[in-house]
């Protein structure tokens, strides 16, 4: 009851499609639009104090007459936003460091998707991974000492961890041929992810101490899991007919909920920290 969720909806046909970034109560009610754009909005992420949202978008540059990827930070209460960094290649999946001073992002600055860390004060990006594979979807461990990300360096998408200062990455997931889009619990003990079961993509949780992986949902195409601050529930997007909807599941898989949203095809939910 003292948290919010952010998510993105897409409405309209391909030529007239519009994207909206929403913030709502934890049950999906009282949704307020933060940003409306004809350009795709990707990967909203809450700041540690729960007052700002970072996201990526390729907005049209009138001067250069083309779209350029940028990471933006949006203040929830005022609606003000500023551009963190602009880049010709693709940028996605911004993730706040626990101290709020940095953003980890995925960028293909040097021709391949790698993880970078942006110093928000200096607006400078430091390359963290160096590999021929696709490295993407970074999230920080709660202590700020390491970053967990998705990579296909082993041949298929799996979850890895690397020191936030750089170094060699360690693989965390081995069960199944596809594990991606990690979300770390606030105590750092579990990782929620999308795990492929046959041809279906479902929400699963990995216990980092025991190595046990448990599939929680029975969806066909689940996406973007995000832990509640107390670690008891996970919000995610899933398919219902021809559109995406918002859903939640308890970490033991016993409780399933469908959340109401005002409009559109729902994607990329993110659960806020406790309101301060």
């Amino acid at each position: 009851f003292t948290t919010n969720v952010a998510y993105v909806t897409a409405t309209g046909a391909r030529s007239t499609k519009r994207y909206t970034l929403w913030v709502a109560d934890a049950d999906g009610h009282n949704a307020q639009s933060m940003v409306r754009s004809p350009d795709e909005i990707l990967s909203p992420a809450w700041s540690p104090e729960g007052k700002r949202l970072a996201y990526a978008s390729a907005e049209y540059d009138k001067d250069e007459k083309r779209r350029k990827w940028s990471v933006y930070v949006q203040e929830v209460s005022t609606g003000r936003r500023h551009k963190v960094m602009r880049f010709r290649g693709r940028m996605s999946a911004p993730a706040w460091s626990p101290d709020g001073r940095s953003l980890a992002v995925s960028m293909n600055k040097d021709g391949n998707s790698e993880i970078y860390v942006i110093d928000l004060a200096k607006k400078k990006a430091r390359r963290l991974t160096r590999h021929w594979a696709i490295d993407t979807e970074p999230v920080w461990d709660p202590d700020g000492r390491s970053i967990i990300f998705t990579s296909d360096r082993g041949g298929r998408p799996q979850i890895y961890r690397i020191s936030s200062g750089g170094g060699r990455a360690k693989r965390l997931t081995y069960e199944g041929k596809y594990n991606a889009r990690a979300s770390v619990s606030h105590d750092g003990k579990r990782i929620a992810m999308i795990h492929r079961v046959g041809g279906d993509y479902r929400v699963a949780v990995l216990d980092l101490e025991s190595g046990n992986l448990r599939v929680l949902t029975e969806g066909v195409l689940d996406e973007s899991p995000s832990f509640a601050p107390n670690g008891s529930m996970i919000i995610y997007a899933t398919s219902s007919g021809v559109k995406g909807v918002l859903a939640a599941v308890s970490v033991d898989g016993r409780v399933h909920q469908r959340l109401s949203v005002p409009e559109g095809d729902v994607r990329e939910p993110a659960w806020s920290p406790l309101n301060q």
Side-chain angles (χ1 to χ4, degrees):
F1 296 107
T2 59
T3 59
N4 297 104
V5 295
Y7 58 91
V8 176
T9 59
T11 56
R14 178 177 298 180
S15 59
T16 60
K17 185 165 287 188
R18 293 194 66 85
Y19 299 87
T20 305
L21 173 61
W22 299 88
V23 169
D25 294 342
D27 59 3
H29 289 88
N30 300 317
Q32 303 291 324
S33 64
M34 296 287 105
V35 180
R36 292 183 182 269
S37 175
D39 306 305
E40 189 174 9
I41 298 171
L42 295 178
S43 313
W46 290 94
S47 62
E49 83 286 349
K51 296 180 179 179
R52 295 170 293 169
L53 283 164
Y55 64 92
S57 184
E59 296 188 359
Y60 186 74
D61 188 303
K62 294 181 180 179
D63 296 329
E64 299 190 23
K65 296 182 179 180
R66 59 189 173 94
R67 300 186 187 281
K68 295 185 72 174
W69 283 96
S70 303
V71 170
Y72 298 90
V73 170
Q74 180 93 18
E75 294 182 14
V76 174
S77 61
T78 66
R80 291 194 298 263
R81 75 166 187 167
H82 69 271
K83 190 181 300 177
V84 174
M85 182 171 285
R86 170 169 281 188
F87 180 58
R88 182 178 297 180
R90 187 178 180 88
M91 302 178 73
S92 63
W96 295 85
S97 62
D99 62 9
R101 297 178 180 177
S102 303
L103 285 172
V105 298
S106 173
M107 295 197 296
N108 62 350
K109 182 179 179 181
D110 298 313
N112 187 57
S113 179
E114 303 280 0
I115 307 301
Y116 288 75
V117 175
I118 300 174
D119 183 307
L120 293 174
K122 299 178 181 178
K123 293 191 175 181
K124 291 184 178 180
R126 169 175 57 90
R127 184 170 172 176
L128 188 63
T129 62
R130 295 181 180 273
H131 201 278
W132 54 262
I134 295 174
D135 296 336
T136 187
E137 300 172 347
V139 291
W140 296 75
D141 268 328
D143 61 10
R145 295 179 180 177
S146 57
I147 290 174
I148 292 170
F149 64 101
T150 303
S151 178
D152 64 353
R153 60 184 61 197
R156 297 179 183 271
Q158 297 290 342
I159 306 297
Y160 291 78
R161 174 187 275 140
I162 189 171
S163 167
S164 56
R168 186 173 182 177
K170 177 184 178 182
R171 183 170 168 175
L172 298 180
T173 55
Y174 290 90
E175 185 173 338
K177 296 181 179 180
Y178 181 101
N179 293 288
R181 198 56 185 263
S183 174
V184 185
S185 62
H186 290 257
D187 60 8
K189 295 180 179 181
R190 290 173 291 188
I191 298 175
M193 68 194 73
I194 297 301
H195 173 78
R196 190 170 72 187
V197 181
D200 299 335
Y201 295 84
R202 299 174 178 173
V203 177
V205 168
L206 173 68
D207 184 293
L208 290 172
E209 183 175 346
S210 67
N212 179 59
L213 186 143
R214 181 173 185 174
V215 179
L216 304 181
T217 62
E218 297 181 353
V220 175
L221 186 59
D222 298 337
E223 300 176 344
S224 306
S226 177
F227 270 106
N230 65 4
S232 65
M233 298 288 291
I234 297 166
I235 197 171
Y236 63 101
T238 188
S239 60
S240 178
V242 295
K243 71 173 187 176
V245 297
L246 208 57
V249 62
S250 61
V251 293
D252 60 8
R254 296 179 180 179
V255 178
H256 295 259
Q257 295 177 317
R258 182 71 56 85
L259 283 68
S260 63
V261 297
E263 61 180 52
D265 181 17
V266 178
R267 56 193 67 179
E268 312 231 39
W271 211 317
S272 79
L274 292 173
N275 292 329
Q276 298 181 18

